[in-house]
């Protein structure tokens, strides 16, 4: 079966189950999302489904042999919504969704304008009556703007059945599926007001003879529908800003590529690039796909993907990332990953999945929303019965409508997902890739973080930290010709010998030594050989040379040097790796190597301590070396001599012993099991595929300080979510009783149905606006 691509290129397979994520158009509240989710779950072949109202995204796990993506779309369409699923390999689903949303936004704006004008005329006509006796005295008699009931009926009908058509469609769909939503509340409340008013127009005299009031509520029905739609319009515009992270990532993609085919350079769409193509990139151009440089060099701006502002120098053999910008030189590279396999596509997919995922805290709001609408319907009926018994029909009728309108659960449905969307997007813009909402939520609870040493706290590559020579080096063996012009101490001669020999070695330490001694002279090397586990041996100008550890020196009975032995003891106490140099059987030099601390490590540890997090380091190094590195990083707690295979077990033991939430930060390759075992795994962005699968958070920018930023982002996001939930729950807890008339016996305060509609719309907009504050939060 062909891999079905859906926005945003999100398709994953696991055994007999395929997972798709696709947009849903037409949802109005959290109840809509629950209805679609239930419909998808009962579709044969679907094992799980989740629909997120905030991101308007559905994620479905299904058996491809039983159900097709198109059948999933049909199931959604059957209940009145639209699922955008496409089988193409491009971004067509993205384009379709954006086109649908733009169309819906235009339709909504048109309805708000027409509804607003009709409602204004209806309100203008009834203004004297609304203001009561005092108000009637302010206007001339006859009132020039008074319209006949038939005209009011016509204007109100336009608002009720054309402007408010979607409320009826959603209500009918809900009734067919035995569920109710916010649309049900609006439809019931406004229909009751409209129907009673129609009865007054058609059979007013009959109603008077029956002792019924003949007040018309066209204004109430029209105002509520118009205000609710206005709220949706404002909400849609605000929500569109929460998806900026995805749009910005998609804008990074190059549109064309300069491919070398048949010895000629041809410009083709990126979709036509195949793995194995050789591509030319000129200065200022975007790199179209992932690959490896085969010819040339350049400086590349990777900030759009990694968040790192400083351009990265690239030479032959270095990897390049699609979507990044070539700043200087031209080069050729071999395409290795195309389409949905590129790093940018993986990032887009993960950001979209994370924005659509549910945080544990959202379960409370989802649970409440599921029971909320039926409870409101019962409260509305109870309100009518109570006030009809204690007061009058108009009084009871108005309060019932106010309850139906005020109780919209939209704010509760938006409280968590909008904050998650903005938080995940903010992280992506800073080079912090968050895998799912749960990781973002749990991160704020972290009390202890364990850092892997190599590649995380340290650079991961050895570096020569010092080169030391014996005293009077130039006079030890004068007949060997150590005297060279300008080399008063003979150090250049020895350095040249060491560099020339180590250049022949493939050992990781050899590269560091050659890099340090790059300015030393070159000498011809003969009889080179590696002594496994000890070092190397060779001859330079016929002089026998040994370079290696202490055991190599002892085995070959090298004449020791007192001052170098003393220095070696000092360096070993600092955790350095030592390489002795023996020339013609005499120890003449000593090199100290270490995996040096990253410049930002100490700042990261300090930042974590400031926000109340304990910091540990775990390493396979001996205790002396581990303690030295920990001291340099100002880390107080160390787990030393831990083999790679033992890290996972150590993290599990650590979680039990501390009793709190534990995060583990590693390089995402050999630390994958430990990343998965921790409550929150933070990968350093190397070994992208493994990091994505194992870690909850991946630092694409490879900046260790982003660990602090990720935790601050989590704390800010959770703070916003709590504020949103407090407002959403508080709004309903406070205003539903007010709408029911609880304040009327004491202070004579009632909630007008029109004001209830305005308050309901304002609550949803306020939640989205509050979530957008995360875009400027300090992390």
């Amino acid at each position: 079966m062909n891999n079905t691509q859906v926005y945003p290129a999100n398709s994953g397979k696991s055994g007999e189950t395929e997972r798709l994520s696709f947009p849903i158009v037409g949802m109005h509240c959290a109840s809509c999302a629950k209805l679609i989710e239930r419909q998808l779950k009962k579709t044969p072949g679907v094992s799980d489904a989740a629909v997120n109202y905030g991101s308007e995204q559905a994620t479905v796990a299904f058996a491809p042999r039983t159900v097709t993506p198109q059948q999933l779309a049909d199931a959604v369409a059957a209940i009145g919504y639209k699922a955008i699923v496409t089988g193409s390999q491009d971004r067509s689903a993205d384009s379709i969704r954006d086109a649908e949303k733009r169309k819906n936004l235009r339709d909504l704006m048109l309805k708000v304008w027409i509804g607003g004008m009709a409602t204004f005329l209806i309100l203008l006509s009834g203004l004297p009556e609304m203001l009561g006796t005092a108000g009637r005295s302010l206007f001339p008699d006859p009132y020039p703007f008074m319209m006949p009931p038939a005209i009011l009926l016509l204007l109100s009908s336009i608002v009720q059945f054309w402007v408010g058509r979607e409320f009826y469609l959603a209500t009918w769909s809900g009734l067919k599926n035995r569920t109710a939503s916010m649309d049900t509340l609006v439809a019931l409340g406004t229909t009751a007001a409209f129907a009673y008013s129609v009865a007054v127009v058609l059979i007013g005299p009959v109603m008077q003879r029956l002792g019924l009031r003949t007040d018309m509520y066209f204004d109430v029905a029209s105002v509520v529908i118009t205000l609710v739609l206005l709220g949706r319009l404002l909400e849609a515009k605000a929500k569109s800003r929460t998806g900026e992270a995805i749009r910005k990532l998609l804008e990074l993609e190059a549109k064309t590529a300069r491919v070398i085919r048949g010895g000629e350079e041809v410009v083709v769409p990126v979709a036509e690039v195949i793995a194995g193509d050789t591509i030319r990139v000129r200065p200022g151009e975007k790199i179209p796909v992932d690959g490896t440089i085969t010819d040339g060099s350049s400086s590349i701006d990777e900030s759009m993907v990694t968040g790192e502002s400083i351009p990265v120098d690239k030479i032959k053999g270095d990897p390049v990332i699609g979507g990044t910008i070539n700043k200087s030189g031209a080069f050729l590279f071999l395409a290795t990953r195309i389409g949905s396999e590129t790093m940018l596509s993986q990032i887009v997919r993960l950001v979209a999945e994370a924005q659509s995922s549910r945080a544990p805290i959202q379960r409370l709001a989802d649970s409440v929303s599921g029971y909320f609408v039926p409870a409101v319907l019962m409260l509305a009926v109870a309100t009518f019965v109570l006030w009809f018994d204690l007061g009058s029909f108009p009084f009871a009728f108005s309060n019932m409508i106010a309850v139906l309108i005020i109780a919209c659960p939209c704010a509760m449905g938006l409280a968590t997902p909008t904050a998650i969307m903005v938080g995940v997007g903010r992280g992506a813009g800073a080079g912090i890739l968050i895998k799912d909402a749960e990781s973002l939520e749990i991160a704020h609870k972290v009390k202890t973080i364990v850092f892997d040493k190599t590649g995380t706290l340290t650079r991961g590559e050895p570096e020569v930290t010092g080169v030391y020579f014996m005293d009077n080096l130039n006079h030890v063996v004068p007949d060997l010709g150590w005297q060279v012009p300008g080399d008063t101490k003979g150090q250049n001669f020895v350095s040249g010998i060491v560099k020339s020999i180590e250049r022949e070695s493939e050992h990781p330490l050899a590269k560091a030594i050659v890099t340090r001694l790059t300015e030393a002279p070159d000498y011809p090397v003969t009889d080179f050989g590696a002594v496994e586990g000890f070092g190397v041996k060779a001859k330079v100008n016929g002089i026998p040379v040994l370079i290696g550890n202490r055991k190599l020196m002892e085995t070959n009975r090298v004449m020791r040097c007192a001052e170098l032995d003393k220095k070696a003891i000092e360096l070993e106490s600092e955790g350095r790796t030592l390489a002795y140099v023996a020339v013609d059987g005499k120890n003449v030099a000593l090199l100290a190597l270490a995996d040096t601390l990253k410049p930002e490590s100490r700042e990261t540890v300090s930042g974590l301590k400031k926000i109340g997090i304990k910091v540990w380091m775990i390493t396979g190094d001996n205790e002396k070396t581990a303690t030295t590195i920990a001291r340099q990083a100002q880390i107080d707690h160390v787990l030393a001599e831990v083999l790679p295979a033992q890290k996972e077990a150590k993290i599990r033991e650590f979680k039990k012993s501390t009793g709190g939430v534990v995060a583990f930060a590693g390089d995402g390759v050999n630390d994958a099991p430990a990343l998965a075992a921790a409550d929150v795994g933070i990968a350093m962005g190397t070994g992208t595929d493994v990091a994505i699968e194992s870690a909850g958070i991946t630092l694409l920018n490879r900046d260790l300080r982003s660990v602090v930023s990720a935790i601050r982002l989590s704390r800010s996001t959770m703070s916003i979510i709590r504020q949103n939930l407090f407002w959403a729950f508080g709004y309903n807890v406070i205003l539903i009783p007010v709408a029911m008339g609880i304040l009327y016996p004491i202070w004579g305060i009632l909630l007008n149905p029109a004001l209830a509609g305005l308050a309901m719309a304002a609550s949803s907009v306020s939640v989205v606006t509050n979530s957008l504050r995360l875009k400027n939060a300090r992390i």
Side-chain angles (χ1 to χ4, degrees):
M1 174 179 172
N2 291 331
N3 229 8
T4 301
Q5 295 298 317
V6 294
Y7 177 88
N10 176 9
S11 178
K13 291 184 178 180
S14 177
E16 294 297 316
T17 300
E18 184 172 339
R19 188 163 56 91
L20 291 179
S21 184
F22 50 85
I24 302 289
V25 176
M27 289 192 290
H28 305 130
C29 65
S31 298
C32 299
K34 296 292 283 184
L35 173 60
I36 298 169
E37 187 175 295
R38 193 170 70 180
Q39 175 76 355
L40 287 170
K41 283 183 176 179
K42 70 181 185 181
T43 302
V46 173
S47 56
D48 191 26
V51 179
N52 190 301
Y53 169 50
S55 63
E56 299 175 318
Q57 197 93 348
T59 301
V60 182
F62 68 102
R65 294 182 181 179
T66 306
V67 61
T68 65
Q70 185 55 50
Q71 288 173 321
L72 296 176
D74 292 342
V76 174
I79 55 174
Y81 303 91
K82 185 171 184 178
I84 303 175
V85 181
T86 175
S88 64
Q89 295 296 318
D90 56 19
R91 298 290 185 190
S92 60
D94 176 34
S95 302
I96 295 171
R97 186 186 82 151
D98 286 348
E100 286 284 343
K101 293 189 77 171
R102 286 194 296 270
K103 178 179 179 298
N104 287 348
L105 200 59
R106 287 195 301 269
D107 291 345
L108 196 53
M109 289 180 68
L110 178 63
K111 289 182 176 181
V112 168
W113 274 108
I114 293 177
M117 288 187 290
T119 300
F120 173 75
L121 293 174
I122 294 171
L123 289 172
L124 187 62
S125 176
L127 190 58
E129 291 300 323
M130 282 189 286
L131 296 177
T133 304
R136 282 192 290 270
S137 65
L138 297 175
F139 300 98
D141 190 16
Y143 179 56
F145 300 106
M146 178 73 73
M147 287 183 285
I151 300 299
L152 293 176
L153 173 59
L154 175 62
L155 291 173
S156 186
S157 296
I158 293 172
V159 177
Q160 190 73 33
F161 301 111
W162 182 73
V163 176
R165 179 173 178 267
E166 63 186 61
F167 297 115
Y168 288 101
L169 293 177
T171 299
W172 174 243
S173 176
L175 291 174
K176 288 192 297 183
N177 291 275
R178 298 178 184 178
T179 187
S181 66
M182 166 251 182
D183 294 297
T184 308
L185 301 180
V186 174
L188 286 176
T190 59
T191 299
F194 178 81
Y196 192 86
S197 303
V198 171
V200 171
V201 172
L202 298 179
I203 56 170
V206 176
M207 295 175 67
Q208 284 183 330
R209 286 197 295 272
L210 294 175
L212 298 175
R213 294 287 296 268
T214 55
D215 301 298
M216 290 188 291
Y217 298 94
F218 287 130
D219 53 348
V220 171
S222 299
V223 167
V224 167
I225 287 176
T226 302
L227 285 177
V228 171
L229 288 184
L230 176 61
R232 286 187 180 177
L233 177 62
L234 296 175
E235 178 189 314
K237 287 187 173 183
K239 279 175 65 179
S240 67
R241 295 172 57 197
T242 65
E244 284 181 5
I246 291 289
R247 285 193 296 276
K248 287 181 179 178
L249 287 171
L250 291 175
E251 288 170 2
L252 298 180
E253 291 184 317
K255 302 297 184 289
T256 60
R258 302 178 185 274
V259 181
I260 309 298
R261 289 179 180 168
E264 296 183 359
E265 180 181 305
V266 293
V267 178
V268 301
V270 170
E272 295 181 11
V273 175
I274 60 176
D277 274 341
T278 297
I279 301 172
R280 185 187 304 279
V281 183
R282 297 175 180 176
E285 293 182 341
K286 285 184 179 180
I287 297 170
V289 296
D290 294 2
T292 304
I293 294 179
T294 56
D295 184 35
S297 61
S298 184
S299 179
I300 297 176
D301 179 2
E302 297 183 341
S303 61
M304 297 84 73
V305 175
T306 66
E308 175 56 56
S309 59
I310 301 175
V312 181
D313 292 332
K314 300 281 187 175
I315 60 174
K316 182 179 179 180
D318 284 344
V320 290
I321 303 171
T324 56
I325 298 177
N326 181 28
K327 300 293 287 185
S328 54
F331 61 88
L332 296 175
F333 77 96
L334 184 71
T336 56
R337 292 186 175 188
I338 61 172
S340 62
E341 296 178 352
T342 65
M343 183 178 183
L344 180 60
S345 290
Q346 290 185 50
I347 293 171
V348 171
R349 174 178 64 83
L350 281 175
V351 171
E353 283 185 350
Q355 289 184 333
S356 300
S357 61
R358 281 195 182 129
I361 197 172
Q362 190 174 341
R363 293 171 190 153
L364 174 62
D366 289 346
S367 177
V368 171
S369 296
Y371 297 100
F372 194 75
V373 174
V376 168
L377 292 174
M378 289 187 286
L379 287 174
V381 172
T383 299
F384 179 82
V385 172
L386 177 65
W387 286 114
F388 184 72
D389 185 53
L390 297 177
S392 63
F393 175 83
F395 193 84
F397 192 67
S398 178
N399 286 349
M400 179 188 72
I401 295 174
V403 171
L404 290 172
I405 301 305
I406 199 69
C408 168
C410 280
M412 281 188 286
L414 289 168
T416 299
T418 52
I420 293 295
M421 286 182 70
V422 179
V424 169
R426 175 70 193 283
I432 303 169
L433 187 61
I434 299 167
K435 187 175 182 180
D436 52 40
E438 185 171 2
S439 298
L440 183 61
E441 177 179 337
I442 295 175
H444 90 284
K445 301 177 182 177
V446 169
K447 297 298 181 185
T448 305
I449 184 166
V450 182
F451 284 98
D452 173 55
K453 179 183 79 70
T454 306
T456 304
L457 289 170
T458 65
R459 298 179 186 275
E461 296 180 357
E463 180 180 306
V464 176
T465 60
V467 181
Y468 309 92
F469 300 93
M470 67 179 297
D471 295 337
N472 301 317
L473 179 61
N474 214 20
H475 304 289
V476 176
V477 189
D479 59 333
L480 292 179
W482 288 19
Q483 285 278 11
V484 293
D487 187 14
T488 57
K489 295 183 179 181
Q491 293 180 0
N492 283 350
F493 182 71
V494 173
S495 296
I497 289 175
V498 173
K499 186 189 81 169
S500 300
I501 292 174
E502 290 293 356
R503 195 162 48 198
E504 303 294 320
S505 174
E506 296 180 354
H507 195 280
L509 296 181
K511 181 181 178 182
I513 293 172
V514 172
T515 300
R516 173 62 182 265
L517 304 177
T518 187
E519 300 296 329
D522 295 312
Y523 296 100
V525 176
T526 59
D527 300 335
F528 175 85
V531 184
E532 189 172 349
F534 295 93
V536 295
K537 62 181 181 178
K539 289 184 179 180
V540 176
N541 287 347
I543 305 171
V545 181
L546 295 171
I547 307 174
N549 57 26
R550 188 194 300 271
K551 289 184 179 179
L552 180 64
M553 303 295 115
E554 293 173 348
T555 303
N556 289 273
R557 298 184 179 181
V558 169
M559 184 183 297
R560 298 171 67 171
C561 173
E563 63 263 29
L564 291 181
D565 282 349
K566 182 179 179 181
K567 190 65 179 178
I569 294 172
E570 177 188 333
L571 293 169
E572 284 179 337
S573 69
E574 296 175 358
R576 300 289 191 265
T577 298
L578 303 181
Y580 294 82
V581 180
V583 178
D584 198 30
K586 300 177 180 63
N587 179 204
V588 297
L590 180 68
L591 289 87
L593 299 97
D595 182 8
T596 57
L597 204 66
K598 289 180 179 177
E600 67 270 19
S601 292
R602 184 177 296 181
E603 183 181 344
T604 300
V605 173
S606 175
L608 290 168
K609 288 180 178 179
K610 285 180 181 177
I611 58 177
I613 295 177
K614 291 182 180 179
V615 182
W616 284 68
M617 184 183 80
I618 188 169
T619 178
D621 288 343
N622 61 65
E623 190 171 342
K624 185 180 293 185
T625 301
T627 302
T628 300
I629 292 292
R631 189 186 308 118
Q632 293 174 2
Q634 297 182 339
I635 294 175
D636 302 321
H637 312 284
V638 179
L639 291 171
E641 299 180 17
V642 179
L643 297 176
Q646 299 173 331
K647 286 182 181 178
E648 178 188 9
K650 285 291 183 182
I651 293 299
R652 294 189 185 281
E653 290 175 13
F654 200 74
K655 286 166 62 178
K656 291 180 181 178
S657 61
T658 59
V661 176
V662 176
F664 176 78
D667 63 14
V669 182
N670 60 350
D671 294 321
L675 286 166
D679 294 306
V680 180
I682 304 174
M684 292 306 300
T686 55
T688 304
D689 292 338
V690 179
I692 284 172
E693 294 302 322
S694 306
I697 299 173
T698 302
L699 306 183
L700 295 175
N701 55 23
R702 300 176 177 86
D703 187 340
L704 200 61
R705 288 169 294 193
S706 293
V707 172
V708 184
S709 297
I711 293 174
R712 282 181 177 155
L713 177 61
S714 173
R715 292 183 176 184
S716 295
T717 303
M718 292 308 300
S719 175
I720 291 292
I721 288 174
R722 290 192 188 99
Q723 291 169 22
N724 287 349
L725 288 173
F726 176 81
W727 168 252
F729 281 115
Y731 160 83
N732 284 290
V733 168
I734 294 172
L735 291 186
I736 287 179
V738 174
M740 293 177 69
I742 195 171
L743 299 180
Y744 184 76
I746 307 172
W747 293 294
I749 296 175
L750 286 174
L751 187 61
N752 186 285
L755 292 178
L758 181 62
M760 182 268 290
S763 69
S764 296
V765 174
S766 67
V767 163
V768 177
T769 304
N770 191 46
S771 296
L772 287 170
R773 292 198 302 117
L774 278 171
K775 296 177 72 173
N776 300 313
R778 177 181 172 271
I779 62 171

